[in-house]
Amino acid sequence: MKKITDELYLFYDTCNVYILCSGKEAVLVDFGSGGVLDHLNEIGVDRVTAVLMTHHHRDQAQGLNRAVEAGVRIWVPHTEQDLFHSVDAHWQAREIYNNYNMRQDLFSLLESVPVTGTLDDYEIRRFGDFTVTVLPTPGHTTGSISLLIETAGQRILFSGDLIAAPGRVVSLSATQWSYNGAEGVAASLASLLDLLDRQLNLLLPSHGEPISQPQTAIALLVERLWELLQQRKQNPRLFKLREHPYQTVLPDGEGPSGHGTPHLLMHRASMAITYVLLSESGKALLIDFGYDFMTGIPAGNDRASRRPWLYTLPALKAQFGVQKIDVVLPTHYHDDHVAGCNLLRYVEGTQVWAAANFADILEHPANYDLPCLWFDPIPVDRCLPLGQPISWEEYTLTLHPLPGHTRYAVAVEFEVDGIRALAIGDQYQGDEGVTWNYVYQSGYKIGDYTASAGLFQRLSPDLLLFGHSQPLHVSPAYLQKIVSDAETLDRMHRELLPEAPDLGAEGFIARIVPYQVTALAGETICIDVEIRNPFPGSVEAIIHLIVPQGWQAEPNIHILEVFSGVHQFAFQVTSPSDLAVRRARLAVDLIIAGQRFGQQAEALVTVLARGAI
């Protein structure tokens, strides 16, 4: 046991465990093997109230079962929560063969542990006598956090495994988030540069000794990591993008006035491009906000592989006079366009405005079987109608349906600095803005690109704002080409797919809502089955709900006449009272006009044992 201050001690274990004392009670930062519990009497501590974890690795957390047995509350990084409370599912799903995922998530707990709550990025929370600020510091892992406290006139940071000693890290292997990548090295640099701005007095790493000269230690590590990146020829623009992450969409000398677009910016370092509409009042409206300041894409698609943060907002505010991030307006629901919305909402007080055709997906993602869903519900502060002008500050915006890339998307029309702009998300890709970007499972239908091309012709914007390529000046030739291309796309689909029955481009005619449900054992849940008649005219439909053995469905079968279009049927499903299961499967089996279509759609039901919640 090592004394750092009168209130702060270090216990050496599989990792450094720090003890924050509030009288006879204490809060721990990281837990190691749990051996610290056997030595608390040496410093007059009777009880541990909470453990705050900086990341999920086993050397930090392997003894957490002892904390559970002692009734200690466990708090974990929000991004890495599944690697604590649901690590059993992680072990069952993690690829082993043909594995190109080099993230060290195999260095996770062997068994799940219950958690009290998550430590959300940027939040300020009181533990005992200490006020703790949670800082996102990806690098060692994607979801790593550091914890900042102020005590005895010192700014002290518990930095996890971001830094181990002046100029050194405990592991470079951990920073390789993909096969032969260096994403974590670049992320470490970004995190360390952020810490340099925070005027720290003491760094307390998870491995190594306390660092009493943080600025010098961090600067040396930055120098060495940057040399490594340069030799690898990766992230060559990191420092430039950090210094100036935003630029005007059109530079000086362009645009109607010759002054570019001083009120319309674009993000240079996000996965999907965020556009910023600036008001004379000092407020900003963001169009899309997914993954800010990307240093590379980690392997995997689990929650712990995806880390939104608000890294570039200080630069946006300082360089462009932004006083408030007032509104974020997504073009569609995909994670790379919305992942940061909750952080904006909770940290900046930003309102989320979403179009009526996908607001419910943001708020209730579990109801939908769609690709690219964000993990958490995103509360929508204002649901916007389609085709009707809305006002924000001195601007008028109109949202238009934009099916194609996904059925659940809009084009955002507005005028700024004398330019008629249209933000279209991911409808097209490529530098020329003509390559189709349709995704069948996102709801693409034949005719979608013809409809969007017609919209573009009708609105005749000066500038198209794309989600993953540079803005495009619109010409008559461009509008003519996308119309011709859309007609070709429709023709090819009609030639390739059967005329009858018409299963559409998606290839399925049924879905179950909600798609994912969590219920207690023996609890009755309500589901709706939607079917689309693939035949012209009126036909008989037999809808049979398939449930696991021992479950009950009421009714079990619907038999009735259906006309063209979409029809909805209600069912109630009850699981056995003694069951606990993850993702039990339901399905709907269809016979329409005497033709068997089989089990067309499924839903997933997680059943919790009585007393589990």
Side-chain angles (χ1 to χ4, degrees):
M1 191 77 71
K2 178 177 181 176
K3 182 177 180 180
I4 299 174
T5 72
D6 289 342
E7 304 167 311
L8 176 57
Y9 292 81
L10 163 58
F11 179 78
Y12 295 99
D13 197 3
T14 54
C15 71
N16 291 344
V17 178
Y18 294 99
I19 307 161
L20 288 164
C21 300
S22 301
K24 291 186 176 298
E25 294 185 339
V27 171
L28 307 181
V29 176
D30 291 319
F31 199 67
S33 72
V36 64
L37 298 182
D38 301 324
H39 296 270
L40 295 175
N41 62 322
E42 299 172 12
I43 56 174
V45 170
D46 294 336
R47 176 173 174 261
V48 174
T49 59
V51 176
L52 315 181
M53 300 300 302
T54 61
H55 60 289
H56 74 276
H57 281 167
R58 208 153 53 231
D59 56 345
Q60 312 291 125
Q62 67 186 52
L64 280 176
N65 60 304
R66 289 197 63 184
V68 174
E69 293 168 358
V72 178
R73 298 189 296 272
I74 300 172
W75 295 81
V76 303
H78 183 84
T79 299
E80 296 189 347
Q81 60 180 287
D82 293 347
L83 297 176
F84 289 90
H85 62 57
S86 300
V87 77
D88 294 332
H90 164 72
W91 281 111
Q92 294 302 320
R94 182 55 158 87
E95 61 267 38
I96 303 297
Y97 296 109
N98 199 30
N99 174 31
Y100 288 81
N101 181 352
M102 298 299 102
R103 285 172 44 229
Q104 288 189 350
D105 56 354
L106 293 175
F107 193 30
S108 296
L109 288 172
L110 304 182
E111 304 290 342
S112 298
V113 294
V115 303
T116 300
T118 63
L119 297 168
D120 298 341
D121 292 343
Y122 307 102
E123 80 167 319
I124 300 173
R125 185 182 287 272
R126 190 80 175 171
F127 290 98
D129 293 338
F130 301 91
T131 298
V132 178
T133 301
V134 182
L135 300 179
T137 49
H140 185 70
T141 69
T142 52
S144 288
I145 60 174
S146 294
L147 303 172
L148 176 66
I149 66 169
E150 294 192 34
T151 182
Q154 289 189 303
R155 290 171 60 81
I156 299 175
L157 189 80
F158 303 93
S159 54
D161 281 334
L162 181 66
I163 183 172
R168 296 182 184 273
V169 294
V170 69
S171 170
L172 280 174
S173 175
T175 65
Q176 196 161 62
W177 297 350
S178 67
Y179 197 77
N180 192 36
E183 302 84 1
V185 173
S188 294
L189 276 167
S191 296
L192 291 163
L193 290 168
D194 176 62
L195 296 184
L196 277 176
D197 295 336
R198 295 185 179 271
Q199 303 302 311
L200 304 173
N201 301 112
L202 183 64
L203 277 178
L204 299 179
S206 287
H207 294 87
E209 294 299 317
I211 301 171
S212 60
Q213 296 183 320
Q215 303 295 102
T216 303
I218 292 172
L220 180 58
L221 183 53
V222 166
E223 178 184 337
R224 290 175 175 175
L225 291 177
W226 180 234
E227 181 184 9
L228 176 61
L229 270 192
Q230 288 178 301
Q231 291 296 322
R232 289 181 59 99
K233 296 180 172 55
Q234 293 181 329
N235 295 87
R237 300 190 302 156
L238 188 144
F239 281 85
K240 292 181 179 179
L241 292 176
R242 182 180 187 272
E243 185 176 355
H244 295 289
Y246 296 87
Q247 67 181 31
T248 57
V249 168
L250 296 181
D252 282 345
E254 294 189 24
S257 65
H259 298 296
T261 55
H263 296 90
L264 180 62
L265 314 176
M266 62 184 294
H267 200 322
R268 305 167 65 211
S270 53
M271 179 185 286
I273 297 173
T274 291
Y275 294 94
V276 184
L277 189 59
L278 299 177
S279 168
E280 292 293 347
S281 66
K283 296 179 181 179
L285 180 147
L286 308 185
I287 298 176
D288 292 327
F289 193 81
Y291 302 109
D292 186 21
F293 204 76
M294 285 292 295
T295 62
I297 302 176
N301 293 292
D302 56 311
R303 180 197 291 270
S305 72
R306 294 294 178 261
R307 182 66 175 276
W309 55 346
L310 306 179
Y311 191 80
T312 65
L313 293 194
L316 175 63
K317 293 176 180 179
Q319 294 170 13
F320 294 95
V322 173
Q323 299 173 23
K324 180 176 176 57
I325 312 296
D326 193 41
V327 171
V328 58
L329 174 59
T331 57
H332 58 294
Y333 74 89
H334 287 172
D335 64 294
D336 56 329
H337 294 255
V338 305
C341 288
N342 278 339
L343 278 178
L344 285 174
R345 195 170 184 273
Y346 301 143
V347 177
E348 296 289 329
T350 304
Q351 287 202 342
V352 177
W353 292 5
N357 62 339
F358 62 84
D360 190 67
I361 299 175
L362 298 183
E363 294 198 302
H364 305 100
N367 287 357
Y368 295 86
D369 175 20
L370 290 168
C372 311
L373 291 169
W374 183 236
F375 301 95
D376 299 314
I378 299 173
V380 173
D381 298 288
R382 185 177 175 186
C383 183
L384 302 178
L386 302 182
Q388 299 179 23
I390 59 170
S391 296
W392 175 78
E393 297 298 299
E394 64 265 37
Y395 299 100
T396 299
L397 302 92
T398 305
L399 277 55
H400 302 275
L402 191 67
H405 177 61
T406 170
R407 184 182 308 168
Y408 311 102
V410 292
V412 183
E413 175 194 9
F414 59 96
E415 184 171 338
V416 56
D417 297 324
I419 292 174
R420 289 175 292 112
L422 191 67
I424 63 169
D426 293 350
Q427 185 74 348
Y428 291 95
Q429 58 187 357
D431 292 338
E432 297 179 355
V434 295
T435 303
W436 305 311
N437 193 21
Y438 58 85
V439 179
Y440 293 111
Q441 291 188 44
S442 283
Y444 166 73
K445 294 189 303 182
I446 300 171
D448 282 350
Y449 276 86
T450 297
S452 68
L455 173 70
F456 293 3
Q457 284 197 320
R458 177 168 61 83
L459 298 180
S460 189
D462 300 315
L463 200 64
L464 289 179
L465 307 178
F466 298 98
H468 293 276
S469 55
Q470 294 298 303
L472 179 74
H473 291 279
V474 178
S475 67
Y478 172 82
L479 294 175
Q480 183 177 355
K481 178 170 177 52
I482 63 172
V483 169
S484 174
D485 288 353
E487 292 171 350
T488 299
L489 180 64
D490 291 346
R491 174 185 60 77
M492 290 189 294
H493 275 82
R494 290 192 174 99
E495 290 175 351
L496 286 164
L497 294 172
E499 293 183 5
D502 177 13
L503 301 181
E506 288 183 79
F508 294 95
I509 56 173
R511 71 171 185 146
I512 301 176
V513 181
Y515 184 70
Q516 297 183 74
V517 184
T518 299
L520 288 174
E523 182 180 354
T524 297
I525 60 174
C526 298
I527 64 169
D528 291 319
V529 172
E530 294 181 1
I531 68 165
R532 180 178 60 82
N533 180 5
F535 298 102
S538 173
V539 294
E540 182 185 73
I542 302 174
I543 302 99
H544 181 197
L545 189 66
I546 308 299
V547 298
Q549 185 174 2
W551 294 46
Q552 300 297 320
E554 179 61 38
N556 183 245
I557 294 177
H558 278 288
I559 303 175
L560 69 167
E561 186 177 10
V562 295
F563 299 91
S564 60
V566 176
H567 304 266
Q568 191 173 85
F569 307 92
F571 292 86
Q572 291 186 326
V573 178
T574 306
S575 64
S577 59
D578 58 351
L579 183 69
V581 63
R582 182 175 184 266
R583 291 188 176 181
R585 280 75 65 193
L586 314 179
V588 57
D589 194 295
L590 296 180
I591 302 174
I592 302 179
Q595 181 169 337
R596 298 193 69 99
F597 290 91
Q599 296 177 3
Q600 276 276 304
E602 79 288 338
L604 308 175
V605 182
T606 294
V607 178
L608 305 178
R610 289 283 175 176
I613 57 175

